[in-house]
Amino acid sequence: MSLPAYEGESMVMIFLDISRAHPHCDVLRENLYVEAPPELGLPPGFCLLLLKCIYGLRDANQAFEFKVRDCFFYLNFEQGKYSSCVYVHKTFPMIFGVHGDDYVGVGPRSMLLRFAEDLGKHLIVKNRGILGPRPDDCKEMKLLARTIRWHDAHSGRAEQLTWEPDARHVDQLCEQLGI
């Protein structure tokens, strides 16, 4: 199955990564203090009031999920009805899957790039690449130890994507089943 075009643009996949995810997020609990690290040179026992999350904080992951949701809502997306990890744009043909700090989007190239730019105003966004038909596009990307490949149209076949599972899962399954 080929991906449809939108106003003359091919649909492509974009792979985004969020850097330093947790420090973007407000602390969920009130009056949360931590002991000052020694490198600050403050007197022993000196405490700091946390305003933003730090790695290792119990509710940092949940705070980041709320931040992600708020960013997508602000950028005119709605959360999936059956999965809170899927976001669909309310007007344009764009859909994103979110896994922690990894975002994978499908849509017209110009809209995906604009989304990444807009998201960059709220988070530190790294564009890992676009999987698509142009010669300068990536033809293969890794996501969660899975390989996603773009295949150009040839021999009467339409362009297509293939998704290869993590080979380690096959090895683990064979080992568990004794085959």
Side-chain angles (χ1 to χ4, degrees):
M1 177 174 97
S2 67
L3 297 172
Y6 177 77
E7 294 185 1
E9 267 191 279
S10 294
M11 301 291 263
V12 295
M13 290 182 82
I14 192 168
F15 295 78
L16 305 175
D17 184 66
I18 306 302
S19 299
R20 295 188 291 282
H22 295 155
H24 290 292
C25 309
D26 295 331
V27 172
L28 300 176
R29 293 178 274 166
E30 291 184 29
N31 300 322
L32 187 60
Y33 291 86
V34 294
E35 190 172 328
E39 56 268 14
L40 288 181
L42 298 171
F46 197 85
C47 293
L48 304 171
L49 173 65
L50 283 184
L51 300 177
K52 297 289 184 182
C53 289
I54 57 175
Y55 288 99
L57 187 64
R58 186 175 57 211
D59 31 355
N61 289 338
Q62 185 180 34
F64 183 64
E65 285 181 38
F66 291 158
K67 177 74 172 181
V68 167
R69 183 198 61 203
D70 292 346
C71 287
F72 272 98
F73 287 173
Y74 179 78
L75 296 172
N76 206 27
F77 281 78
E78 59 188 4
Q79 217 163 10
K81 292 178 182 168
Y82 302 105
S83 173
S84 60
C85 299
V86 175
Y87 292 89
V88 180
H89 198 275
K90 292 179 181 178
T91 310
F92 300 113
M94 282 192 296
I95 186 168
F96 273 86
V98 174
H99 186 273
D101 61 357
D102 292 315
Y103 297 5
V104 178
V106 175
R109 177 186 312 273
S110 62
M111 291 180 184
L112 294 174
L113 290 172
R114 176 62 190 265
F115 169 80
E117 183 182 317
D118 290 345
L119 186 62
K121 296 173 185 171
H122 305 276
L123 301 167
I124 300 171
V125 177
K126 177 185 174 192
N127 182 346
R128 292 182 46 222
I130 290 181
L131 212 56
R134 292 185 184 172
D136 58 334
D137 287 339
C138 298
K139 300 302 175 193
E140 178 177 300
M141 293 293 291
K142 294 276 190 190
L143 177 70
L144 303 173
R146 289 142 178 94
T147 305
I148 305 165
R149 289 189 182 90
W150 179 276
H151 302 276
D152 291 318
H154 67 284
S155 304
R157 294 180 61 180
E159 56 196 17
Q160 61 181 329
L161 293 171
T162 58
W163 199 294
E164 183 180 303
D166 181 358
R168 293 176 300 177
H169 293 159
V170 174
D171 295 338
Q172 289 170 354
L173 186 60
C174 288
E175 183 181 322
Q176 290 174 1
L177 294 175
I179 50 175

